[in-house]
Amino acid sequence: MVFDGLHYAGCLAHLGRPMLVGSLPFAVLRRSIPGTPYHDFLSTWPYGSAPDGGGLETAMEKLRAAGGVSFTGVITPAAADYDQAVAPAAAVAVRPLKPHFVIDRQRGLPLLSAKTRRNIKIAARAWTIDPAPDRAAILGAALPLYAALQQRRQMSSEMTRMPPEHFRALLEVPGVVAIAARRGNAIGALVIAARDARESHLLHFLVDDDAIATCPTYLLMAHISEAWTGRGPVYLGGAPSGPDGPGVAKFKSRWASHATPAWLLTAILRGDLYRRLAGARAAAEDYFPAYRQPEPTALPALAGVE
């Protein structure tokens, strides 16, 4: 998988220092823990290939020996029933993440709704598919479109706030491709994806807010559904949290054969240090690692209210 390699991990250098662990199929990122001399480990975003139980156990020992406080990993949704297929390594928790939408010809393509067919026609009158835009065109569209997306969704997590350097490095990675809906020099929507011989994974799906009425995203998805699925499944990703989530989920479900979860791996490597760093947050079950959970913001005191 493209996301496994050290070359791809270099696109995420703003999160941590990329490194390889021999018993894992994917690179990891060594992240400094703010305000401390310590560090933890993270798999590549958005996910990596599935390790077997023995590989996991060996990897955790190596990461512990390397001084890591904890490990967080996400495993591809292509690993169906991963929690059942592998005996988890000691102290590694495995649980499903949110559903990811998949187009898979082997499972049958969905019948497109009248609205979807109408929107494809609207888009086809306004835009054409560029199956291989050049690097300058991709960056010229991706950087402002992603900045607008960050602002609209009020992205605050370091995992979803990609700097411009991410996109510049990403386009140098073998297997990373882009397609655009364009009219002359204008790009209405852009998809950046990772593709190999067996499957495709959408990484960034960006649209110009001023072009939404002419449905360029529908033209891109119609092309992907027709032209990309012969190679294997196309993984569309999940839906974001926040107000955009339901709309994104509905849009992706229009094209998907089915939905299946990615898998979250979590491991506390140095329990005493983990608890000391997390303090009162150590018992939190909805945030990992707990010591990275933002401290609650104190509300200002109100006059006459205790």
Side-chain angles (χ1 to χ4, degrees), residues 191-205:
V191 166
I192 302 175
R195 305 192 71 199
D196 59 30
R198 297 178 300 172
E199 56 197 28
S200 304
H201 300 261
L202 271 57
L203 188 60
H204 295 291
F205 201 141

Side-chain angles (χ1 to χ4, degrees), residues 276-289:
R276 180 153 58 88
L277 291 173
R281 298 167 292 174
E285 297 182 355
D286 59 349
Y287 201 100
F288 190 91

Side-chain angles (χ1 to χ4, degrees), residues 11-260:
C11 303
L12 306 172
H14 61 287
L15 297 177
R17 179 167 61 86
M19 58 180 285
L20 293 175
V21 178
S23 50
L24 289 177
F26 48 80
V28 299
L29 302 167
R30 173 177 165 151
R31 302 189 298 172
S32 297
I33 300 172
T36 80
Y38 306 114
H39 61 271
D40 55 20
F41 293 99
L42 177 73
S43 70
T44 52
W45 174 89
Y47 41 70
S49 294
D52 60 34
L56 268 180
E57 190 167 4
T58 301
M60 295 308 104
E61 290 302 322
K62 291 181 177 179
L63 295 178
R64 184 179 293 110
V69 177
S70 69
F71 167 74
T72 308
V74 182
I75 301 304
T76 172
D81 300 320
Y82 180 67
D83 58 338
Q84 302 298 319
V86 61
V92 179
V94 182
R95 59 180 182 269
L97 280 176
K98 61 187 177 183
H100 284 56
F101 298 92
V102 188
I103 311 175
D104 187 351
R105 283 189 179 273
Q106 298 299 317
R107 299 280 291 262
L109 300 182
L111 182 65
L112 299 181
S113 68
K115 177 182 178 179
T116 297
R117 296 194 304 272
R118 182 181 70 248
N119 287 349
I120 293 171
K121 291 179 180 178
I122 292 171
R125 290 193 293 266
W127 305 96
T128 58
I129 290 291
D130 183 347
D134 62 43
R135 188 176 189 273
I138 297 169
L139 285 177
L143 297 184
L145 293 182
Y146 189 76
L149 180 68
Q150 283 185 328
Q151 183 174 9
R152 184 173 73 249
R153 291 188 181 166
Q154 298 182 340
M155 295 178 181
S156 58
S157 169
E158 62 178 356
M159 295 301 300
T160 54
R161 291 186 64 86
M162 299 296 174
E165 292 74 22
H166 162 76
F167 290 92
R168 296 188 180 100
L170 182 62
L171 298 182
E172 302 296 330
V173 177
V176 170
V177 302
I179 62 170
R182 67 188 308 163
R183 180 171 56 233
N185 291 327
I187 290 180
L190 176 72
V191 166
I192 302 175
R195 305 192 71 199
D196 59 30
R198 297 178 300 172
E199 56 197 28
S200 304
H201 300 261
L202 271 57
L203 188 60
H204 295 291
F205 201 141
L206 305 170
V207 59
D208 185 340
D209 289 345
D210 293 335
I212 287 176
T214 51
C215 308
T217 55
Y218 282 81
L219 191 63
L220 286 180
M221 284 305 307
H223 176 84
I224 288 169
S225 184
E226 176 64 28
W228 286 16
T229 53
R231 184 182 293 188
V234 178
Y235 293 86
L236 307 180
S241 57
D244 282 358
V248 171
K250 185 175 182 179
F251 175 76
K252 291 183 176 181
S253 69
R254 293 179 184 277
W255 312 92
S257 308
H258 65 289
T260 188

